Amino acid sequence: MRIGVFICHCGSNIAGTVDCAKVAEIARSYPDVVYATDPMYTCAEPGQAAIEAAIHENKLDGVVVASCSPRMHEPTFRRTVERAGLNRYMLEMANIREHVSWIGRDKEANTNKAAELVRLAVEKLRNNKPLLAKKFDVTKRVLIIGGGVAGIQAALDCAEGGVPVVLVEREATIGGKMAKLDKTFPTVDCSACILGPKMVDVAQHPNITLYAYSEVEDVSGYVGNFTVKIRKRSTYVDWSLCTGCGACTEKCPAKKTPDAFNELTGNTTAITIAFPQAIPKKAVINPQFCRQLTKGKCGVCAKVCPTGAIKYDMEDEIVTEEVGSIVAATGYDLMDWTVYQEYGGGAYPDVITSLQYERLLSASGPTGGHIKRPSDGKEPQNIVFIQCVGSRDKSIGRPYCSGFCCMYTAKQAILTKDHIPDSKSFVFYMDIRAPGKMYDEFTRRAMEEYGTEYIRGRVSQIYPDGQGQLAVLGVDTLLGRPVEVHADLVVLAVGIEASKGAPQLAEKLRISYDSYGFFMESHVKLKPVETNTAGVFLAGVCQGAKDIPASVAQGSAAAAKVLALFAKDKLESDPQIAQVDIRRCVNCGKCIRCCPFGAIKEVEIRGEGKAQVIETVCQGCGLCTSTCPQGAIQLSHATDNQILAEVNALCQC
């Protein structure tokens, strides 16, 4: 075998603490190494051209590149060796940036360690074999989970690209949190005016099939060929007959049903249409408050319905869809702020969340756009806004910033002044985070043009002052003195958390999620919308905190990934997968039970049960190889012999 070794300087990233020339010199003494050099940047075009030239000139059979993380650059170098005529898996990488130069300053020690890592890679390469990918057909349909603004954008972009879309939304209408907003920052334009046309486009687009009031029940298969079971929850209304006329909602006697769309700031009827612009504009019965379903006595909605759409005996329905790709756009929920007992813990009706305040501001809200205190319906004069309630707070396990709270608080302060000209707004804040286009200018407008008083400091307590107001106690850290403000209404900028059920959905999709429940991207910088499961992409706040423009951009990015995937008639499977030696397999079933991707099944071979790897599903995680008590499963490109070769080399160093 003829091996070439390339030690990357990476500018000063590696060369600053590693003697790259010496590592290359040492590498020349390793078995089968016939060429070794230390280029400045191996990932740059000249560096890749040098690798290709060296392969041809030295008739190399394999290449070792010692540089930065394989996670970042391995696909690049594989393409490089492939262009030179080698099998892409006759490449090995030694990570001498993250594993060496970034963790120590002793140049001699770093140089020795880098040389050892190169030795391991060389020994591994000596035991490598060419691997060939297999091609398979792809179902050119996409499933999008979540009908908020990110999911809507992804759906429309895919549909416009000619890809049939299956859009699943767990609520009775698409629109997500954006549909609940009155205005959007920094332009203060109508949220419904922006979102409404997109919602209508979803309803009318011939390439989009919408399942509202539905949830993903199960996902099986692999990239290009997913089978998805969708549970259509019972609405007790036949949507094929419902015209959205509203006759049932007008006559329903159960008028004290909590209104979820209005964030419980008002009541609605047991049968309702979420809001006037709802898509689909169809009625849904709340079974917990419907007198017919709870007591068997009423049936008014069925009597007044002109089309006979009411079906009290309706049950959930399971439908199956075949898709080739999946986009998760499940959004977020607000955290339970009642853990803050110092803010009343939910006991004070005039302490509300920012999203509840949005519904009070909205013309489609319970008060018709007139700001009224929940306790007595009076117009508030002093409004206190409190930032970072449940954000950047390690004491409740929420150390992260929710991203957009500073901006919507400034917006709400501006809108408050527009609604109530003689009102006064106070904002308690930790610091102002306004990094977007026109964001800082917008915040300054709230202060300078609208007279909002910003107080840097935390609020320690809120309590009724006995005079019909709430006493808000805090501290001004800039002036170094305590502050007490008497407010008619307190609005909390409540932090966000992952959408309810996100971890369970992640397990169905076989993707990773972080300790807070947000879905994890494949690479934080280079693959922000991709996941560790091929064919599954992310869009919007399900991946992490972001505002509307960023969510829309990520929705389009996810759609671009789907369209790129479907641009090929056939897809290639990764040959770095598990393989079963049927001679050693005893059909214990441990590999089947431990596989997180469901990639192993039992088959009968010559009358005996054996494990078999589903090649297109296997992700090459290696969990089965470490679990098998018989050693009957080997991972291609990471066999026992290859690993032992590395261990032996390390012992000889």
Side-chain angles (χ1 to χ4, degrees):
M1 191 174 189
R2 297 177 64 84
I3 297 174
V5 177
F6 300 84
I7 315 297
C8 182
H9 284 232
C10 198
S12 61
N13 256 322
I14 295 174
T17 60
V18 175
D19 188 339
C20 298
K22 187 175 181 180
V23 175
E25 182 183 349
I26 296 171
R28 295 186 189 103
S29 66
Y30 295 157
D32 295 336
V33 174
V34 298
Y35 181 82
T37 187
D38 57 320
M40 182 60 69
Y41 296 104
T42 53
C43 63
E45 186 176 354
Q48 294 182 53
I51 293 174
E52 291 185 56
I55 292 172
H56 292 299
E57 293 170 7
N58 296 279
K59 297 181 171 54
L60 302 180
D61 302 310
V63 169
V64 171
V65 177
S67 61
C68 52
S69 169
R71 186 182 180 191
M72 183 179 295
H73 285 311
E74 192 172 56
T76 299
F77 292 123
R78 281 181 173 173
R79 288 191 294 269
T80 301
V81 301
E82 202 166 38
R83 287 195 301 270
L86 297 184
N87 183 276
R88 70 178 68 174
Y89 298 100
M90 298 307 290
L91 163 84
E92 287 296 325
M93 290 191 67
N95 187 350
I96 62 172
R97 188 180 70 174
E98 286 87 339
H99 291 177
V100 181
S101 66
W102 280 6
I103 60 175
R105 306 303 299 177
D106 187 328
K107 193 163 188 175
E108 183 178 356
N110 283 0
T111 301
N112 292 334
K113 183 179 179 181
E116 291 174 1
L117 292 180
V118 172
R119 174 69 183 272
L120 267 61
V122 168
E123 291 299 327
K124 167 74 165 40
L125 180 61
R126 294 178 69 205
N127 288 271
N128 281 8
K129 294 181 180 179
L131 301 177
L132 298 175
K134 295 183 179 179
K135 294 189 175 187
F136 56 91
D137 294 327
V138 54
T139 302
K140 295 185 178 183
R141 298 180 78 220
V142 59
L143 168 73
I144 297 176
I145 309 172
V149 66
I152 288 172
Q153 187 65 45
L156 291 174
D157 285 351
C158 288
E160 286 297 304
V163 173
V165 176
V166 178
L167 178 59
V168 176
E169 167 57 45
R170 71 179 178 185
E171 302 298 334
T173 174
I174 60 174
K177 296 294 190 298
M178 188 176 174
K180 299 184 179 186
L181 305 182
D182 179 43
K183 303 287 194 302
T184 63
F185 61 81
T187 52
V188 199
D189 47 358
C190 172
S191 180
C193 300
I194 301 170
L195 186 64
K198 287 184 175 292
M199 293 170 62
V200 173
D201 288 344
V202 168
Q204 297 179 349
H205 205 292
N207 277 346
I208 299 177
T209 301
L210 173 60
Y211 291 106
Y213 212 61
S214 303
E215 296 184 66
V216 172
E217 188 81 0
D218 182 64
V219 179
S220 59
Y222 51 94
V223 57
N225 295 275
F226 293 107
T227 299
V228 183
K229 292 182 179 179
I230 302 167
R231 179 177 293 275
K232 296 173 65 179
R233 290 156 44 212
S234 174
T235 60
Y236 304 99
V237 179
D238 187 341
W239 280 5
S240 65
L241 299 175
C242 179
T243 62
C245 67
C248 53
T249 64
E250 293 175 5
K251 299 296 184 180
C252 178
K255 299 184 183 298
K256 293 186 177 180
T257 303
D259 192 343
F261 183 81
N262 281 319
E263 293 292 309
L264 308 180
T265 55
N267 293 325
T268 185
T269 50
I271 184 169
T272 185
I273 298 172
F275 64 109
Q277 299 97 333
I279 296 293
K281 193 177 181 181
K282 307 290 184 181
V284 177
I285 292 178
N286 187 329
Q288 292 180 303
F289 295 89
C290 175
R291 298 178 182 179
Q292 181 66 35
L293 294 175
T294 56
K295 301 178 181 180
K297 298 180 180 179
C298 185
V300 170
C301 55
K303 296 175 184 176
V304 301
C305 179
T307 61
I310 310 301
K311 306 292 181 184
Y312 296 121
D313 58 350
M314 181 180 285
E315 296 181 353
D316 291 359
E317 180 186 355
I318 302 293
V319 297
T320 301
E321 295 284 358
E322 304 289 336
V323 299
S325 182
I326 299 172
V327 176
T330 52
Y332 69 93
D333 287 325
L334 297 183
M335 61 109 26
D336 180 14
W337 69 272
T338 60
V339 298
Y340 288 94
Q341 295 299 313
E342 60 267 38
Y343 297 161
Y348 308 142
D350 294 331
V351 179
I352 63 176
T353 70
S354 52
L355 201 53
Q356 288 176 320
Y357 195 57
E358 286 286 343
R359 298 312 303 152
L360 297 182
L361 290 167
S362 176
S364 64
T367 59
H370 301 288
I371 304 174
K372 297 179 180 181
R373 299 203 317 175
S375 62
D376 54 15
K378 294 182 179 180
E379 189 175 84
Q381 295 301 306
N382 286 352
I383 298 99
V384 169
F385 298 89
I386 302 176
Q387 298 275 48
C388 296
V389 179
S391 298
R392 305 167 66 190
D393 190 347
K394 293 182 180 180
S395 68
I396 62 165
R398 297 287 188 279
Y400 55 84
C401 175
S402 294
F404 45 78
C405 313
C406 291
M407 295 308 304
Y408 70 59
T409 295
K411 176 200 71 176
Q412 290 177 341
I414 289 173
L415 293 177
T416 299
K417 197 70 172 179
D418 287 339
H419 281 255
I420 312 173
D422 58 346
S423 65
K424 178 67 176 177
S425 294
F426 303 84
V427 177
F428 284 87
Y429 72 101
M430 292 173 62
D431 51 47
I432 300 172
R433 300 189 170 186
K437 185 177 182 180
M438 296 171 54
Y439 283 13
D440 188 65
E441 297 92 328
F442 183 75
T443 305
R444 292 185 179 276
R445 281 185 62 200
M447 301 177 193
E448 298 167 4
E449 295 182 29
Y450 289 83
T452 305
E453 184 173 340
Y454 274 68
I455 305 168
R456 190 179 187 275
R458 300 284 288 189
V459 170
S460 60
Q461 191 178 5
I462 300 173
Y463 62 90
D465 65 358
Q467 305 297 319
Q469 291 184 308
L470 294 165
V472 182
L473 304 182
V475 62
D476 190 325
T477 59
L478 295 178
L479 298 178
R481 66 186 186 189
V483 176
E484 182 174 337
V485 180
H486 291 262
D488 300 305
L489 185 67
V490 177
V491 182
L492 306 179
V494 178
I496 68 169
E497 63 182 12
S499 179
K500 182 181 178 182
Q504 291 76 22
L505 178 61
E507 292 172 7
K508 293 174 184 176
L509 298 175
R510 300 185 293 274
I511 63 176
S512 301
Y513 57 95
D514 63 23
S515 57
Y516 311 112
F518 293 106
F519 301 150
M520 290 186 67
E521 64 284 344
S522 181
H523 191 284
V524 68
K525 296 183 182 72
L526 301 180
K527 296 181 178 180
V529 300
E530 297 165 269
T531 69
N532 60 329
T533 296
V536 180
F537 306 103
L538 306 175
V541 188
C542 68
Q543 180 259 339
K546 54 182 66 68
D547 58 12
I548 292 171
S551 295
V552 171
Q554 201 170 29
S556 290
K561 289 294 181 180
V562 172
L563 294 172
L565 182 71
F566 291 167
K568 304 174 183 177
D569 292 328
K570 290 183 179 291
L571 300 180
E572 285 189 352
S573 61
D574 190 341
Q576 299 178 102
I577 58 174
Q579 295 181 333
V580 179
D581 185 347
I582 61 173
R583 297 170 299 177
R584 303 180 69 173
C585 178
V586 296
N587 196 32
C588 66
K590 290 184 178 180
C591 58
I592 297 174
R593 293 190 295 272
C594 80
C595 180
F597 302 98
I600 305 176
K601 62 181 180 180
E602 182 184 344
V603 296
E604 186 175 319
I605 299 178
R606 294 190 291 273
E608 295 183 358
K610 300 289 183 181
Q612 186 178 80
V613 175
I614 307 171
E615 295 184 358
T616 49
V617 181
C618 179
Q619 299 296 307
C621 69
L623 187 59
C624 56
T625 65
S626 58
T627 302
C628 179
Q630 303 298 319
I633 303 182
Q634 293 283 294
L635 189 63
S636 300
H637 213 58
T639 64
D640 288 350
N641 288 338
Q642 290 171 316
I643 295 171
L644 286 172
E646 291 182 284
V647 173
N648 290 334
L650 185 61
C651 293
Q652 295 170 14
C653 289

